[in-house]
Amino acid sequence: MTMTLVASAPSVAYGSPVTLSGQISTKQANQQVTIKKTECGSTKQLKAASVKTGTNGTFSTAVTPTLGTSYVGTFKNGMSPVVAITVRPVLELKRVARGSFTAKATAGQALTGKFVSFQRYKKLRKRWVQVKRVKLGAAVAGAKKPTMITSVSFKAKVARGTRLRVLISAAQAAPCYVKAASKSIRG
């Protein structure tokens, strides 16, 4: 008994769903397939979804990982290969007043004490350069569990009209998240 399992994307932004789909080797319809998950920092396998197969034994279900998660499909005594999905925190940069900004990181756990890089875009070099590193402060619970919004307010001198963004490096986002950047704003 074998089965396949693939994800619609290998990496998603926090709060975004990803579709897991596959097929069982018997190609029978109406069979119960269980999707199990193992979240970053845990060794426990938890049930993520239960889905019935359709025509040709195919199935598909949407999952929303809150941090890096590995998924596996099980059917009777068969198991699919493991599918790992990485999660990017959602970063947001706002200009509060001239030279004053707030950066927010939304994820499934508080990112207090982690550093984000406040960057400006250098047109000539066509690349982002760091203006300053800022440390994320207190976290507040978001509207939906387990969402945590970690933020920081800071001051920085930048020329008017400069493209700005915040970025969290892979090292700072680790172990349960991956590198992410905010949408750019004008300074």
Side-chain angles (χ1 to χ4, degrees), residues 1-118:
M1 183 72 64
T2 59
M3 67 187 291
T4 58
L5 186 67
V6 290
S8 57
S11 184
V12 292
Y14 178 78
S16 300
V18 62
T19 302
L20 296 175
S21 54
Q23 185 178 30
I24 56 171
S25 58
T26 60
K27 296 197 160 111
Q28 287 172 299
N30 246 357
Q31 301 298 306
Q32 194 75 37
V33 171
T34 303
I35 307 289
K36 292 182 175 165
K37 65 177 181 178
T38 307
E39 294 185 327
C40 170
S42 169
T43 51
K44 275 211 299 265
Q45 255 197 358
L46 304 166
K47 185 171 158 180
S50 190
V51 62
K52 275 199 160 43
T53 57
T55 339
N56 290 331
T58 57
F59 62 90
S60 137
T61 184
V63 291
T64 307
T66 56
L67 34 78
T69 305
S70 295
Y71 292 93
V72 66
T74 59
F75 171 66
K76 291 187 176 161
N77 56 0
M79 220 164 132
S80 77
V82 173
V83 174
I85 312 272
T86 57
V87 179
R88 301 181 300 277
V90 175
L91 296 178
E92 187 186 2
L93 176 66
K94 274 199 174 129
R95 199 182 92 163
V96 190
R98 186 139 175 79
S100 292
F101 301 89
T102 41
K104 274 187 196 161
T106 305
Q109 57 190 47
L111 296 174
T112 306
K114 301 278 191 177
F115 285 91
V116 291
S117 172
F118 175 62

Side-chain angles (χ1 to χ4, degrees), residues 84-168:
I85 312 272
T86 57
V87 179
R88 301 181 300 277
V90 175
L91 296 178
E92 187 186 2
L93 176 66
K94 274 199 174 129
R95 199 182 92 163
V96 190
R98 186 139 175 79
S100 292
F101 301 89
T102 41
K104 274 187 196 161
T106 305
Q109 57 190 47
L111 296 174
T112 306
K114 301 278 191 177
F115 285 91
V116 291
S117 172
F118 175 62
Q119 301 178 322
R120 68 187 176 90
Y121 189 72
K122 281 191 117 160
K123 274 196 199 127
L124 294 170
R125 291 219 180 118
K126 290 193 172 57
R127 66 186 187 107
W128 292 94
V129 293
Q130 181 168 292
V131 177
K132 71 191 298 183
R133 273 179 91 205
V134 285
K135 192 176 186 177
L136 291 169
V140 293
K144 266 173 58 188
K145 277 189 170 156
T147 305
M148 293 299 283
I149 301 158
T150 317
S151 60
V152 59
S153 297
F154 60 96
K155 292 196 179 312
K157 281 196 167 81
V158 283
R160 220 181 250 276
T162 311
R163 273 176 67 198
L164 306 165
R165 72 172 188 181
V166 281
L167 174 125
I168 189 161

